Amino acid sequence: MSGRKGGGLLVAGTTSDAGKSVVTAGICRWLVRQGVKVAPFKGQNMSLNSFVTREGAEIGRAQAMQAQAARVEPSALMNPVLLKPGSDRSSQVVLMGKPVGELSARGYHGGRQEALLGTVVECLEELRGTYEAVICEGAGSPAEINLRRTDIVNMGIARAARLPVLVVGDIDRGGVFASFFGTTALLSAADQELIAGYLVNKFRGDVSLLEPGLDMLHGLTGRRTYGVLPYAHGLGIDEEDGLRVSLRGTVRESVLAPPVGEDVLRVAVCAVPLMSNFTDVDALAAEPGVVVRFVDRAEELVDADLVIVPGTRGTVRALDWLRQRGLADALVRRAAEGRPVLGICGGFQMLAEHIDDEVESRAGAVDGLGLLPVRVRFAAEKTLARPVGEALGEPVEGYEIHHGVADVLGGDVFLDGCRVGAVRGTHWHGSLESDGFRRAFLREVAREAGRRFVPAPDTCFAALREEQLDRLGDLIEEHTDTGALLHLIESGAPAGLPFIAPGAP
C-alpha cells in the first residue's frame, strides 16, 4: 500500500455468526504478511468474552484476537464501546475500556448509542492516522432497519468514515443469495453506495456449481463476489458469543491427537447463565488427550476428572442456577470425595462461603457453596488487571475482570485465590495459556482423579494460536480475489453502484 495511511474496509454480515470476526482476522493476517501495517476495529461489540489490554482497558476478546492476527498490541481504540449483557434487557456499557453504567436496551438505543457515534468515529480516525489499513467488523446485520437510525457499528460508521462494505454470508445456513440481495435492498440509496460486494463463507463442495448463482447475483445487484471461503474445521479461535444456549454437550476442541499417557482426561464445564470468557478452556482443549465438554446436568459431572465453574456476568444468578439444577450438591459431593474442581472468576466467587452483592445482582448477603474459605464483596469499581506470577513452580500470567473482591481466609495459595483439597479458585482468566503452569496443573488433576494421563511435553498454546491465525490468512489469500480486495481497501467502494429497490422503508 506504499506506506499510505488511512485505507479501510467494513466487514458486515447478513446475520450474526456469519463469520465477520474470523474474516476480519483473516484479512488482518493476510495484510500483515504482505507488509501492510494494519489494525482491527469494532465500534460497538456485544459480548461476554472480553480481554484486558496492557493499559488496563477492557475490550472484546475477538478484537484482541484480531489484533494478534495483525501482530499489533490491542488497545481500547480498537473497541471503544463494549456491551456486556446482564439480562435479556440490560447491559453494562464499557466505554474506552472502562464501565460507565448499566442501561436497558431501550435506553441505549433510545439515544445513548447515537451520542457515542462521535467517540467511535474519533477512535477509528486515530487508528487510520496511524495504520495503513483498518479492517472494521460490523455487528449483526446492516439491514436491521429498526435500529438503523442509531447505528454506530454498521452503516452508521461506514457512512461517517466513507468505508467500503464487504458483506459476508454463511452459505452453510442456506439462503445466502436471498440474504445478500435482501440485505442490500433494505438499505437506503446512500447506504447502498458503500456496499461494494459479497463474500461467501463456509462453502462445502465444488465452487463451479455455485458460480452461476454468483453471476446472477452480480446481474441483479451490480456487485461482485470477492471470494468463496471453504468450510474450515477446528479453527479454535476466540469468538464473541459463538457458544450460546446450545452449550449443553458442546465439545470444545482445537486439535485431534491421541493422549501421551494411558488415559484421557475428561473436563466438564458448567454452562452457567451469562457465562463469560469460556475461551479460558481452549488451552485445555488444545492438549492431546483432554476432552472438554459444556454440561448442565448433575449426572454429567459423575465421570468428569475435572469440573470447571467458569466466569459469569451474574454470579448470584449462576449460583442459584447451580442449586436449581442439582449441580451445587454434585460439586459439594466432589469436594468431599477429594475430586478436582476449579472455579474461575465468578466461578471462584460461587465456591466461597459468603457473597455480599449490592452491585451486580443487588441481592445483598448470599451464601456461597462454602467449598473455599473466602468471603466476597462486590465493589462498584471493576478490577481490570494483567497479573503475572509463579505457581506450581512455573511462571504464569493472566488477566482479571471482576467486581467481586475476595477476602481469602485460609487454604493454600493458588494464584490470587486459594486451594482446599482438590478444590481451587482464582480470579485469573487466561492462566491456563501459560504452558508450564498448565502442564503442572494437569499433572496434579490427573493424580487427584486417579488417571494415568500425562500432559504432552511440547504443546505450545501460543504457537497453536499463531497456526490458526495463519490458517485464516491462508483462507483469504487462497480463496479471495486479493488484488480486488486490496484495491477496495485502498480506494473505497466502486463508483456508480446501482440502487436496488425498494431501499429503506
Short mmCIF file of all heavy atoms in Angstrom, two decimals, residues 158-218:
data_model
loop_
_atom_site.label_atom_id
_atom_site.label_comp_id
_atom_site.label_asym_id
_atom_site.label_seq_id
_atom_site.Cartn_x
_atom_site.Cartn_y
_atom_site.Cartn_z
N ALA A 158 -19.84 3.28 8.56
CA ALA A 158 -19.42 3.24 7.16
C ALA A 158 -19.69 4.58 6.47
O ALA A 158 -18.85 5.12 5.74
CB ALA A 158 -20.12 2.11 6.42
N ARG A 159 -20.87 5.14 6.73
CA ARG A 159 -21.22 6.44 6.14
C ARG A 159 -20.34 7.54 6.70
O ARG A 159 -19.84 8.41 5.97
CB ARG A 159 -22.70 6.74 6.41
CG ARG A 159 -23.68 5.95 5.58
CD ARG A 159 -24.08 6.66 4.30
NE ARG A 159 -24.84 7.87 4.56
CZ ARG A 159 -26.16 7.91 4.79
NH1 ARG A 159 -26.87 6.77 4.78
NH2 ARG A 159 -26.78 9.05 4.99
N ALA A 160 -20.14 7.53 8.03
CA ALA A 160 -19.38 8.60 8.67
C ALA A 160 -17.93 8.60 8.21
O ALA A 160 -17.31 9.66 8.09
CB ALA A 160 -19.46 8.45 10.19
N ALA A 161 -17.37 7.40 7.96
CA ALA A 161 -15.96 7.30 7.60
C ALA A 161 -15.74 6.96 6.13
O ALA A 161 -14.60 6.77 5.71
CB ALA A 161 -15.28 6.24 8.48
N ARG A 162 -16.84 6.89 5.35
CA ARG A 162 -16.76 6.56 3.92
C ARG A 162 -15.99 5.25 3.70
O ARG A 162 -15.07 5.15 2.90
CB ARG A 162 -16.11 7.69 3.12
CG ARG A 162 -16.82 9.02 3.22
CD ARG A 162 -18.30 8.93 2.92
NE ARG A 162 -18.55 8.47 1.54
CZ ARG A 162 -19.77 8.13 1.08
NH1 ARG A 162 -20.82 8.19 1.88
NH2 ARG A 162 -19.91 7.74 -0.17
N LEU A 163 -16.43 4.21 4.40
CA LEU A 163 -15.80 2.90 4.29
C LEU A 163 -16.53 2.03 3.27
O LEU A 163 -17.77 1.95 3.30
CB LEU A 163 -15.83 2.17 5.64
CG LEU A 163 -14.97 2.73 6.77
CD1 LEU A 163 -15.32 2.01 8.07
CD2 LEU A 163 -13.49 2.57 6.46
N PRO A 164 -15.81 1.34 2.40
CA PRO A 164 -16.46 0.33 1.58
C PRO A 164 -16.87 -0.84 2.46
O PRO A 164 -16.21 -1.13 3.46
CB PRO A 164 -15.36 -0.08 0.59
CG PRO A 164 -14.08 0.18 1.34
CD PRO A 164 -14.35 1.38 2.19
N VAL A 165 -17.96 -1.50 2.07
CA VAL A 165 -18.51 -2.57 2.90
C VAL A 165 -18.50 -3.88 2.12
O VAL A 165 -19.00 -3.95 0.99
CB VAL A 165 -19.95 -2.24 3.36
CG1 VAL A 165 -20.52 -3.37 4.21
CG2 VAL A 165 -19.97 -0.93 4.13
N LEU A 166 -17.94 -4.90 2.75
CA LEU A 166 -17.95 -6.26 2.22
C LEU A 166 -18.92 -7.07 3.07
O LEU A 166 -18.75 -7.17 4.29
CB LEU A 166 -16.54 -6.86 2.30
CG LEU A 166 -16.35 -8.27 1.75
CD1 LEU A 166 -16.50 -8.28 0.23
CD2 LEU A 166 -14.98 -8.81 2.15
N VAL A 167 -19.96 -7.64 2.46
CA VAL A 167 -20.99 -8.36 3.21
C VAL A 167 -20.69 -9.86 3.16
O VAL A 167 -20.58 -10.45 2.08
CB VAL A 167 -22.39 -8.09 2.64
CG1 VAL A 167 -23.45 -8.84 3.45
CG2 VAL A 167 -22.68 -6.60 2.64
N VAL A 168 -20.57 -10.47 4.33
CA VAL A 168 -20.26 -11.90 4.45
C VAL A 168 -21.56 -12.66 4.69
O VAL A 168 -22.38 -12.26 5.51
CB VAL A 168 -19.29 -12.16 5.62
CG1 VAL A 168 -19.01 -13.65 5.76
CG2 VAL A 168 -18.00 -11.38 5.42
N GLY A 169 -21.72 -13.77 3.97
CA GLY A 169 -22.88 -14.63 4.15
C GLY A 169 -22.46 -16.06 4.43
O GLY A 169 -21.55 -16.59 3.77
N ASP A 170 -23.10 -16.70 5.39
CA ASP A 170 -22.82 -18.09 5.76
C ASP A 170 -23.70 -19.01 4.91
O ASP A 170 -24.88 -19.20 5.18
CB ASP A 170 -23.11 -18.29 7.24
CG ASP A 170 -22.86 -19.72 7.72
OD1 ASP A 170 -22.53 -20.58 6.88
OD2 ASP A 170 -23.00 -19.97 8.93
N ILE A 171 -23.10 -19.60 3.88
CA ILE A 171 -23.87 -20.44 2.97
C ILE A 171 -24.26 -21.76 3.62
O ILE A 171 -25.20 -22.44 3.17
CB ILE A 171 -23.08 -20.69 1.66
CG1 ILE A 171 -24.03 -21.19 0.56
CG2 ILE A 171 -21.91 -21.64 1.89
CD1 ILE A 171 -23.37 -21.22 -0.81
N ASP A 172 -23.57 -22.14 4.70
CA ASP A 172 -23.90 -23.39 5.39
C ASP A 172 -25.30 -23.33 6.00
O ASP A 172 -25.92 -24.37 6.22
CB ASP A 172 -22.85 -23.66 6.47
CG ASP A 172 -22.85 -25.11 6.93
OD1 ASP A 172 -22.77 -25.99 6.07
OD2 ASP A 172 -22.91 -25.35 8.15
N ARG A 173 -25.79 -22.12 6.25
CA ARG A 173 -27.14 -21.97 6.80
C ARG A 173 -28.21 -22.04 5.72
O ARG A 173 -29.39 -22.18 6.03
CB ARG A 173 -27.27 -20.61 7.50
CG ARG A 173 -26.37 -20.44 8.70
CD ARG A 173 -26.63 -19.10 9.35
NE ARG A 173 -25.87 -18.94 10.57
CZ ARG A 173 -26.10 -18.00 11.48
NH1 ARG A 173 -27.09 -17.13 11.29
NH2 ARG A 173 -25.36 -17.90 12.57
N GLY A 174 -27.81 -21.86 4.47
CA GLY A 174 -28.78 -21.81 3.38
C GLY A 174 -29.29 -20.41 3.15
O GLY A 174 -29.20 -19.53 4.01
N GLY A 175 -29.84 -20.18 1.95
CA GLY A 175 -30.46 -18.89 1.64
C GLY A 175 -29.50 -17.75 1.45
O GLY A 175 -29.86 -16.58 1.63
N VAL A 176 -28.24 -18.05 1.08
CA VAL A 176 -27.25 -16.98 1.06
C VAL A 176 -27.52 -15.97 -0.05
O VAL A 176 -27.29 -14.77 0.14
CB VAL A 176 -25.83 -17.57 0.95
CG1 VAL A 176 -25.53 -18.10 -0.45
CG2 VAL A 176 -24.78 -16.55 1.36
N PHE A 177 -28.05 -16.39 -1.20
CA PHE A 177 -28.31 -15.44 -2.29
C PHE A 177 -29.42 -14.47 -1.89
O PHE A 177 -29.31 -13.25 -2.10
CB PHE A 177 -28.68 -16.17 -3.57
CG PHE A 177 -27.56 -16.97 -4.15
CD1 PHE A 177 -27.64 -18.35 -4.25
CD2 PHE A 177 -26.40 -16.36 -4.60
CE1 PHE A 177 -26.60 -19.09 -4.77
CE2 PHE A 177 -25.35 -17.09 -5.13
CZ PHE A 177 -25.45 -18.47 -5.22
N ALA A 178 -30.48 -15.01 -1.31
CA ALA A 178 -31.57 -14.15 -0.85
C ALA A 178 -31.08 -13.20 0.24
O ALA A 178 -31.49 -12.03 0.31
CB ALA A 178 -32.72 -15.00 -0.33
N SER A 179 -30.18 -13.70 1.11
CA SER A 179 -29.66 -12.86 2.18
C SER A 179 -28.82 -11.71 1.64
O SER A 179 -28.93 -10.57 2.11
CB SER A 179 -28.81 -13.71 3.14
OG SER A 179 -29.61 -14.70 3.76
N PHE A 180 -27.96 -12.00 0.65
CA PHE A 180 -27.16 -10.93 0.04
C PHE A 180 -28.06 -9.89 -0.62
O PHE A 180 -27.90 -8.68 -0.42
CB PHE A 180 -26.20 -11.51 -1.00
CG PHE A 180 -24.98 -12.19 -0.43
CD1 PHE A 180 -24.46 -13.32 -1.05
CD2 PHE A 180 -24.35 -11.70 0.69
CE1 PHE A 180 -23.32 -13.95 -0.54
CE2 PHE A 180 -23.21 -12.32 1.21
CZ PHE A 180 -22.70 -13.44 0.58
N PHE A 181 -29.01 -10.37 -1.41
CA PHE A 181 -29.88 -9.46 -2.15
C PHE A 181 -30.74 -8.65 -1.18
O PHE A 181 -30.84 -7.41 -1.28
CB PHE A 181 -30.76 -10.22 -3.13
CG PHE A 181 -31.64 -9.33 -3.96
CD1 PHE A 181 -31.18 -8.82 -5.17
CD2 PHE A 181 -32.91 -8.98 -3.55
CE1 PHE A 181 -31.97 -7.98 -5.95
CE2 PHE A 181 -33.72 -8.15 -4.31
CZ PHE A 181 -33.25 -7.66 -5.52
N GLY A 182 -31.37 -9.35 -0.22
CA GLY A 182 -32.26 -8.68 0.71
C GLY A 182 -31.54 -7.69 1.60
O GLY A 182 -32.06 -6.61 1.90
N THR A 183 -30.33 -8.03 2.04
CA THR A 183 -29.55 -7.11 2.86
C THR A 183 -29.30 -5.81 2.11
O THR A 183 -29.47 -4.71 2.65
CB THR A 183 -28.21 -7.76 3.26
OG1 THR A 183 -28.46 -8.90 4.08
CG2 THR A 183 -27.33 -6.77 4.02
N THR A 184 -28.92 -5.93 0.84
CA THR A 184 -28.66 -4.73 0.04
C THR A 184 -29.94 -3.94 -0.22
O THR A 184 -29.97 -2.71 -0.08
CB THR A 184 -28.01 -5.15 -1.30
OG1 THR A 184 -26.89 -5.99 -1.04
CG2 THR A 184 -27.56 -3.92 -2.08
N ALA A 185 -31.00 -4.65 -0.57
CA ALA A 185 -32.23 -3.99 -0.99
C ALA A 185 -32.97 -3.30 0.15
O ALA A 185 -33.85 -2.47 -0.10
CB ALA A 185 -33.17 -5.00 -1.66
N LEU A 186 -32.65 -3.61 1.40
CA LEU A 186 -33.31 -2.97 2.53
C LEU A 186 -32.57 -1.72 3.01
O LEU A 186 -32.97 -1.10 3.99
CB LEU A 186 -33.46 -3.96 3.69
CG LEU A 186 -34.66 -4.90 3.61
CD1 LEU A 186 -34.64 -5.89 4.76
CD2 LEU A 186 -35.97 -4.12 3.62
N LEU A 187 -31.49 -1.37 2.33
CA LEU A 187 -30.72 -0.19 2.73
C LEU A 187 -31.10 1.02 1.89
O LEU A 187 -31.55 0.89 0.75
CB LEU A 187 -29.23 -0.48 2.57
CG LEU A 187 -28.66 -1.64 3.39
CD1 LEU A 187 -27.20 -1.85 3.06
CD2 LEU A 187 -28.85 -1.38 4.88
N SER A 188 -30.88 2.20 2.45
CA SER A 188 -31.14 3.44 1.71
C SER A 188 -30.17 3.57 0.55
O SER A 188 -29.12 2.90 0.50
CB SER A 188 -30.98 4.65 2.64
OG SER A 188 -29.61 4.79 3.01
N ALA A 189 -30.47 4.45 -0.37
CA ALA A 189 -29.59 4.66 -1.53
C ALA A 189 -28.19 5.08 -1.08
O ALA A 189 -27.18 4.62 -1.62
CB ALA A 189 -30.20 5.70 -2.46
N ALA A 190 -28.12 5.94 -0.07
CA ALA A 190 -26.81 6.41 0.40
C ALA A 190 -26.02 5.28 1.04
O ALA A 190 -24.79 5.21 0.90
CB ALA A 190 -27.00 7.55 1.40
N ASP A 191 -26.71 4.38 1.74
CA ASP A 191 -26.02 3.22 2.31
C ASP A 191 -25.58 2.25 1.22
O ASP A 191 -24.48 1.70 1.26
CB ASP A 191 -26.94 2.50 3.30
CG ASP A 191 -27.07 3.22 4.63
OD1 ASP A 191 -26.35 4.21 4.86
OD2 ASP A 191 -27.90 2.78 5.46
N GLN A 192 -26.46 2.03 0.25
CA GLN A 192 -26.14 1.08 -0.82
C GLN A 192 -24.91 1.49 -1.62
O GLN A 192 -24.19 0.64 -2.15
CB GLN A 192 -27.34 0.91 -1.76
CG GLN A 192 -28.48 0.11 -1.17
CD GLN A 192 -29.53 -0.26 -2.22
OE1 GLN A 192 -29.21 -0.39 -3.40
NE2 GLN A 192 -30.77 -0.42 -1.79
N GLU A 193 -24.64 2.78 -1.68
CA GLU A 193 -23.46 3.25 -2.42
C GLU A 193 -22.16 2.67 -1.87
O GLU A 193 -21.15 2.61 -2.57
CB GLU A 193 -23.38 4.78 -2.36
CG GLU A 193 -24.42 5.50 -3.19
CD GLU A 193 -24.31 7.01 -3.03
OE1 GLU A 193 -23.41 7.47 -2.28
OE2 GLU A 193 -25.13 7.73 -3.62
N LEU A 194 -22.19 2.25 -0.61
CA LEU A 194 -20.98 1.75 0.04
C LEU A 194 -20.92 0.22 0.08
O LEU A 194 -19.90 -0.34 0.48
CB LEU A 194 -20.88 2.30 1.47
CG LEU A 194 -20.73 3.83 1.56
CD1 LEU A 194 -20.83 4.28 3.02
CD2 LEU A 194 -19.41 4.27 0.94
N ILE A 195 -22.00 -0.46 -0.30
CA ILE A 195 -21.99 -1.93 -0.34
C ILE A 195 -21.25 -2.34 -1.60
O ILE A 195 -21.78 -2.37 -2.70
CB ILE A 195 -23.42 -2.50 -0.32
CG1 ILE A 195 -24.17 -2.05 0.93
CG2 ILE A 195 -23.36 -4.03 -0.39
CD1 ILE A 195 -23.60 -2.56 2.23
N ALA A 196 -19.97 -2.69 -1.43
CA ALA A 196 -19.10 -2.97 -2.57
C ALA A 196 -19.29 -4.36 -3.15
O ALA A 196 -19.12 -4.57 -4.35
CB ALA A 196 -17.64 -2.77 -2.17
N GLY A 197 -19.64 -5.32 -2.29
CA GLY A 197 -19.79 -6.68 -2.79
C GLY A 197 -19.91 -7.68 -1.67
O GLY A 197 -20.14 -7.31 -0.50
N TYR A 198 -19.72 -8.96 -2.01
CA TYR A 198 -20.07 -10.04 -1.11
C TYR A 198 -18.92 -11.03 -0.95
O TYR A 198 -18.02 -11.12 -1.80
CB TYR A 198 -21.31 -10.77 -1.65
CG TYR A 198 -22.42 -9.83 -2.05
CD1 TYR A 198 -22.78 -9.67 -3.39
CD2 TYR A 198 -23.09 -9.07 -1.10
CE1 TYR A 198 -23.78 -8.80 -3.77
CE2 TYR A 198 -24.10 -8.19 -1.47
CZ TYR A 198 -24.45 -8.05 -2.80
OH TYR A 198 -25.43 -7.18 -3.17
N LEU A 199 -18.98 -11.78 0.14
CA LEU A 199 -18.03 -12.86 0.40
C LEU A 199 -18.81 -14.04 0.95
O LEU A 199 -19.49 -13.92 1.97
CB LEU A 199 -16.96 -12.41 1.41
CG LEU A 199 -15.86 -13.42 1.71
CD1 LEU A 199 -14.93 -13.57 0.50
CD2 LEU A 199 -15.06 -12.99 2.93
N VAL A 200 -18.73 -15.18 0.26
CA VAL A 200 -19.42 -16.39 0.70
C VAL A 200 -18.53 -17.12 1.70
O VAL A 200 -17.34 -17.34 1.45
CB VAL A 200 -19.74 -17.30 -0.49
CG1 VAL A 200 -20.39 -18.61 -0.01
CG2 VAL A 200 -20.66 -16.58 -1.48
N ASN A 201 -19.10 -17.52 2.83
CA ASN A 201 -18.34 -18.21 3.87
C ASN A 201 -18.90 -19.62 4.09
O ASN A 201 -20.09 -19.87 3.89
CB ASN A 201 -18.42 -17.41 5.18
CG ASN A 201 -17.44 -17.90 6.23
OD1 ASN A 201 -16.39 -18.46 5.90
ND2 ASN A 201 -17.76 -17.69 7.49
N LYS A 202 -18.03 -20.55 4.48
CA LYS A 202 -18.38 -21.91 4.88
C LYS A 202 -18.99 -22.72 3.74
O LYS A 202 -19.98 -23.44 3.92
CB LYS A 202 -19.32 -21.91 6.08
CG LYS A 202 -18.72 -21.27 7.33
CD LYS A 202 -19.67 -21.38 8.51
CE LYS A 202 -19.11 -20.69 9.73
NZ LYS A 202 -20.05 -20.75 10.87
N PHE A 203 -18.40 -22.63 2.54
CA PHE A 203 -18.91 -23.39 1.40
C PHE A 203 -18.33 -24.80 1.41
O PHE A 203 -17.14 -25.00 1.64
CB PHE A 203 -18.56 -22.69 0.09
CG PHE A 203 -19.05 -23.42 -1.13
CD1 PHE A 203 -20.41 -23.45 -1.43
CD2 PHE A 203 -18.17 -24.11 -1.95
CE1 PHE A 203 -20.87 -24.13 -2.54
CE2 PHE A 203 -18.63 -24.80 -3.06
CZ PHE A 203 -19.98 -24.80 -3.36
N ARG A 204 -19.17 -25.78 1.13
CA ARG A 204 -18.74 -27.17 1.01
C ARG A 204 -19.04 -27.63 -0.42
O ARG A 204 -20.17 -27.50 -0.87
CB ARG A 204 -19.48 -28.09 1.98
CG ARG A 204 -19.46 -27.64 3.44
CD ARG A 204 -20.40 -28.53 4.25
NE ARG A 204 -20.69 -28.02 5.58
CZ ARG A 204 -20.29 -28.59 6.71
NH1 ARG A 204 -19.55 -29.68 6.66
NH2 ARG A 204 -20.62 -28.07 7.88
N GLY A 205 -18.05 -28.20 -1.09
CA GLY A 205 -18.32 -28.77 -2.40
C GLY A 205 -17.56 -28.10 -3.52
O GLY A 205 -16.53 -27.44 -3.32
N ASP A 206 -18.11 -28.24 -4.71
CA ASP A 206 -17.48 -27.77 -5.95
C ASP A 206 -17.92 -26.34 -6.22
O ASP A 206 -19.10 -26.06 -6.47
CB ASP A 206 -17.91 -28.70 -7.10
CG ASP A 206 -17.22 -28.37 -8.42
OD1 ASP A 206 -16.60 -27.29 -8.52
OD2 ASP A 206 -17.33 -29.18 -9.34
N VAL A 207 -16.96 -25.40 -6.20
CA VAL A 207 -17.29 -23.98 -6.38
C VAL A 207 -17.92 -23.72 -7.74
O VAL A 207 -18.73 -22.80 -7.89
CB VAL A 207 -16.03 -23.11 -6.18
CG1 VAL A 207 -16.33 -21.65 -6.47
CG2 VAL A 207 -15.50 -23.26 -4.77
N SER A 208 -17.59 -24.53 -8.74
CA SER A 208 -18.15 -24.30 -10.08
C SER A 208 -19.67 -24.40 -10.07
O SER A 208 -20.34 -23.78 -10.90
CB SER A 208 -17.55 -25.30 -11.08
OG SER A 208 -17.95 -26.62 -10.78
N LEU A 209 -20.22 -25.19 -9.13
CA LEU A 209 -21.68 -25.31 -9.04
C LEU A 209 -22.31 -24.04 -8.47
O LEU A 209 -23.50 -23.79 -8.67
CB LEU A 209 -22.05 -26.51 -8.15
CG LEU A 209 -21.59 -27.88 -8.66
CD1 LEU A 209 -21.94 -28.97 -7.64
CD2 LEU A 209 -22.23 -28.19 -10.01
N LEU A 210 -21.51 -23.25 -7.76
CA LEU A 210 -22.01 -22.02 -7.16
C LEU A 210 -21.92 -20.84 -8.13
O LEU A 210 -22.69 -19.88 -8.02
CB LEU A 210 -21.20 -21.71 -5.89
CG LEU A 210 -21.67 -20.60 -4.97
CD1 LEU A 210 -23.01 -20.96 -4.34
CD2 LEU A 210 -20.62 -20.36 -3.88
N GLU A 211 -21.01 -20.91 -9.07
CA GLU A 211 -20.70 -19.76 -9.91
C GLU A 211 -21.89 -19.20 -10.71
O GLU A 211 -22.01 -17.97 -10.83
CB GLU A 211 -19.53 -20.10 -10.83
CG GLU A 211 -18.21 -20.18 -10.05
CD GLU A 211 -17.07 -20.73 -10.87
OE1 GLU A 211 -17.33 -21.25 -11.98
OE2 GLU A 211 -15.91 -20.66 -10.40
N PRO A 212 -22.79 -20.04 -11.25
CA PRO A 212 -23.94 -19.45 -11.95
C PRO A 212 -24.78 -18.55 -11.04
O PRO A 212 -25.26 -17.49 -11.48
CB PRO A 212 -24.74 -20.67 -12.41
CG PRO A 212 -23.73 -21.77 -12.50
CD PRO A 212 -22.77 -21.52 -11.39
N GLY A 213 -24.92 -18.95 -9.78
CA GLY A 213 -25.67 -18.12 -8.84
C GLY A 213 -24.96 -16.81 -8.55
O GLY A 213 -25.58 -15.75 -8.43
N LEU A 214 -23.65 -16.87 -8.45
CA LEU A 214 -22.88 -15.64 -8.20
C LEU A 214 -22.98 -14.70 -9.40
O LEU A 214 -23.06 -13.47 -9.23
CB LEU A 214 -21.41 -15.99 -7.92
CG LEU A 214 -21.15 -16.89 -6.71
CD1 LEU A 214 -19.66 -17.17 -6.57
CD2 LEU A 214 -21.69 -16.26 -5.42
N ASP A 215 -22.98 -15.27 -10.59
CA ASP A 215 -23.15 -14.45 -11.80
C ASP A 215 -24.52 -13.78 -11.81
O ASP A 215 -24.65 -12.60 -12.15
CB ASP A 215 -22.97 -15.30 -13.05
CG ASP A 215 -21.53 -15.76 -13.24
OD1 ASP A 215 -20.62 -15.14 -12.66
OD2 ASP A 215 -21.33 -16.76 -13.97
N MET A 216 -25.56 -14.54 -11.45
CA MET A 216 -26.91 -13.97 -11.41
C MET A 216 -27.02 -12.89 -10.33
O MET A 216 -27.67 -11.86 -10.54
CB MET A 216 -27.95 -15.07 -11.17
CG MET A 216 -28.20 -15.95 -12.39
SD MET A 216 -29.55 -17.14 -12.14
CE MET A 216 -28.65 -18.48 -11.35
N LEU A 217 -26.37 -13.12 -9.18
CA LEU A 217 -26.38 -12.13 -8.11
C LEU A 217 -25.71 -10.84 -8.59
O LEU A 217 -26.20 -9.73 -8.32
CB LEU A 217 -25.64 -12.68 -6.88
CG LEU A 217 -25.57 -11.78 -5.66
CD1 LEU A 217 -26.96 -11.58 -5.05
CD2 LEU A 217 -24.61 -12.35 -4.61
N HIS A 218 -24.63 -10.98 -9.34
CA HIS A 218 -23.95 -9.80 -9.90
C HIS A 218 -24.87 -9.06 -10.87
O HIS A 218 -24.94 -7.82 -10.87
CB HIS A 218 -22.66 -10.24 -10.61
CG HIS A 218 -21.86 -9.09 -11.13
ND1 HIS A 218 -21.57 -8.93 -12.47
CD2 HIS A 218 -21.28 -8.03 -10.50
CE1 HIS A 218 -20.86 -7.83 -12.64
NE2 HIS A 218 -20.67 -7.27 -11.46
#
